[in-house]
Amino acid sequence: MTKASSGSSPSRRALLGSTFGLGAVAVLPGCAIPPRLAAVPANRSGEARVLDLPNERFRIATPEGQAGFDREVVAALVRRRRALNLPDGAMVPELNLLAVSGGGENGAFGAGLLNGWTAHGTRPVFDLATGVSTGALTAPFAYLGPDWDAALKDVYTAITPDRVLRRRRITAAVFDDALADTAPLFETISQYLDERMLAAIADAHQQGRLLLIGTADIDAQTPVVWNIGAIASSGHPRALDTIRRVLLASAAIPGAFPPVMFEVTLDGEAHQEMHVDGGTFAQAFLYPSAVTSARRAALARRQRVPPARAWVIRNGRLDSEWATVDRRSISIAARAISSMIAASGFNDAVRLYFFAQRDGVDFNLAYIGSDFTTRLESPFEPNFMRALYAYGYERARAGFEWAKTPPL
């Protein structure tokens, strides 16, 4: 779960420091590594299938992926009109688009905000919900609505480190694919994402609403957007397990957490893809630009389009966090990487803002303010996460003041 800003985060500094400090040992001869099937051949990743569903996922960095996603949006709007009893071709009354970012333990902020928003009585139904990293764990609950608020609260206030990871021996830096084992996190995900939740996601998808989760295929070095609702409604016997693994992959910090291997087929042969934290490419996303080309064209012709609102929950701060850095290569490298992650989160907020301005979408941004001063003392510390949940909840319950622009 990508940490948003880590100047004062011992969890991210410890993970990054361990990775750098031990990574050099990996060049020793004779080291065994976990086996895997052959990767998908270069330039053919777009043809590989996990469940053999044509719309199970989209590689939005490619023209083919953008075209596939565009078709999925058109099909969703048809289902949405049907669900709202609108005639063919009629515009939906409004669109509410939610993006939940990465942020590790800071995901408690977004969970609290969503539940406080419910208590305030103004939380909309989201036509599109996206999630990356810890946001991938939040987005399904947000997508399904207030009936799932209690479970969302439990995820972020009842969590303990032993429900997220098991630390491996120091030799894991040489002989394994990560410093920690996330089997406990998979068990935690499975506890909440059960058959009942799968059915609810499938039903929402049939109503024309989309739930999308981002991962990074590091073999192909491309972002992948998984169409969770389509997978849930497919009836495939491996649908539930696949969705659980997608959420796990989206939260898999490279080097610290193991990648998730997806078995795929191509030309009738088995291959494996290696997927890690979606924040490798973007801390938050809403839609590829090709999807809104028709909306932009209509606006240019001064035609009426349905009002659209973008709600971006940044599970982190957007100001800098000061920290003393030891004059050691490991500390400097870890701090530099955490700074790049923080900068990436800020840049994503700016990018989504300019996309919204271009597309005539009302932009709304939430992030952790400088008035939250509780410090994280250890990874996934319950007291910190409960305090941050309460901070987000109380601000939203009182009527959250969404920022209309990033702090440029």
Side-chain angles (χ1 to χ4, degrees), residues 247-290:
L247 300 192
L248 184 67
S250 189
I253 305 168
F257 291 173
V260 175
M261 307 302 297
F262 287 93
E263 293 193 7
V264 299
T265 55
L266 179 66
D267 298 335
E269 296 184 0
H271 297 268
Q272 273 187 326
E273 296 175 351
M274 182 182 291
H275 287 248
V276 298
D277 193 328
T280 303
F281 284 97
Q283 300 274 320
F285 72 98
L286 274 174
Y287 47 77
S289 59

Side-chain angles (χ1 to χ4, degrees), residues 159-173:
I159 199 75
T160 53
D162 63 344
R163 294 180 65 195
V164 178
L165 58 87
R166 284 194 294 265
R167 291 191 181 277
R168 290 171 171 167
R169 295 181 178 181
I170 196 169
T171 53

